[in-house]
């Protein structure tokens, strides 16, 4: 199993980013601008729930990420358009794209749903059994990132590699 191929083969095509100019209230900056996949709308991204996604440039896996919460991928895609001065991941992606690729090069994104796990806990204080959902997408992201690194993927967009974040995963 090769992680970079499996995310793309088994995932849903979410759309692509291009490097462009973002303008908000007379201020502008270079940003990652998202184009939705054909047929996909905001409601479709939200309906996917928590996801893990792969970002590809020219078929090369450059990042494995996660998106969750109420708006999932829709919210995460909008975060990539924020000013790189305040978003380190955006800054790194833009540096790599501007240094190594042509301006029109697309960053394609494929993602797959990671449902919350159902769990229960017996509370000895109230003598009640509590039922709740537990997010899993962060652990799946870490697992796949570690596997991809073991398969010699560069993951050039991943900022956590600078922090040694994945070396501590067992």
């Amino acid at each position: 199993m090769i992680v970079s191929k499996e995310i793309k083969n088994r995932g849903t095509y979410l759309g692509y980013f291009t490097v462009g100019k973002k303008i908000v209230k007379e201020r502008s900056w270079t940003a990652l601008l998202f184009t939705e996949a054909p047929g996909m709308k905001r409601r479709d991204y939200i309906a996917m729930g928590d996801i893990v996604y792969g970002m590809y440039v020219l078929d090369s896996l450059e990042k494995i990420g996660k998106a969750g919460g109420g708006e999932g991928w829709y919210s995460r895609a909008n975060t990539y358009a924020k000013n790189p001065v305040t978003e380190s991941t955006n800054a790194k992606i833009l540096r790599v794209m501007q240094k190594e690729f042509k301006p029109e090069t697309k960053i394609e994104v494929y993602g797959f749903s990671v449902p919350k796990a159902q769990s229960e806990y017996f509370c000895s204080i109230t003598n009640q059994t509590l039922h709740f959902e537990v997010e899993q997408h962060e652990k799946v992201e870490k697992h796949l990132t570690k596997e991809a690194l073991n398969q010699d993927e560069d993951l050039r967009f991943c900022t956590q590699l600078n922090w040694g974040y994945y070396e501590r995963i067992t």
Side-chain angles (χ1 to χ4, degrees):
M1 177 270 322
I2 299 172
V3 170
S4 62
K5 290 186 187 326
E6 293 302 318
I7 292 173
K8 199 168 185 180
N9 289 340
R10 296 174 187 258
T12 298
Y13 181 59
L14 303 178
Y16 64 89
F17 289 98
T18 52
V19 175
K21 188 73 62 184
K22 176 83 174 183
I23 302 170
V24 177
K25 296 182 182 177
E26 299 180 19
R27 297 182 64 199
S28 66
W29 58 87
T30 302
L32 297 167
L33 306 177
F34 186 66
T35 300
E36 296 172 340
M40 292 289 281
K41 299 290 179 215
R42 178 179 180 270
R43 69 177 179 272
D44 301 312
Y45 297 118
I46 293 171
M48 290 180 76
D50 294 348
I51 70 164
V52 171
Y53 61 89
M55 297 176 102
Y56 295 80
V57 178
L58 304 175
D59 285 327
S60 175
L61 180 62
E62 301 297 341
K63 178 176 177 51
I64 298 172
K66 66 182 181 318
E71 295 198 339
W73 173 252
Y74 183 78
S75 177
R76 186 68 185 107
N78 286 323
T79 301
Y80 282 119
K82 289 187 177 180
N83 193 327
V85 171
T86 59
E87 290 287 335
S88 62
T89 300
N90 300 3
K92 184 169 188 177
I93 293 171
L94 289 167
R95 272 194 311 275
V96 171
M97 291 301 292
Q98 291 169 340
K99 181 179 175 184
E100 299 186 28
F101 299 100
K102 294 179 181 175
E104 67 276 8
T105 303
K106 294 177 181 178
I107 303 169
E108 295 187 302
V109 186
Y110 294 81
F112 60 94
S113 296
V114 181
K116 291 176 173 63
Q118 302 300 314
S119 184
E120 66 178 43
Y121 168 76
F122 178 76
C123 179
S124 60
I125 305 302
T126 63
N127 288 324
Q128 293 177 316
T129 300
L130 308 175
H131 299 274
F132 49 92
E133 295 181 325
V134 180
E135 293 179 350
Q136 304 182 101
H137 62 303
E138 181 177 5
K139 295 210 182 290
V140 173
E141 175 206 21
K142 288 179 183 178
H143 168 72
L144 292 176
T145 297
K146 183 176 180 183
E147 290 296 317
L149 291 170
N150 288 339
Q151 295 170 2
D152 294 325
E153 296 287 348
D154 288 333
L155 303 179
R156 293 178 286 185
F157 295 169
C158 187
T159 56
Q160 291 95 331
L161 299 180
N162 297 342
W163 312 328
Y165 184 67
Y166 291 98
E167 294 171 357
R168 295 189 297 271
I169 300 173
T170 56

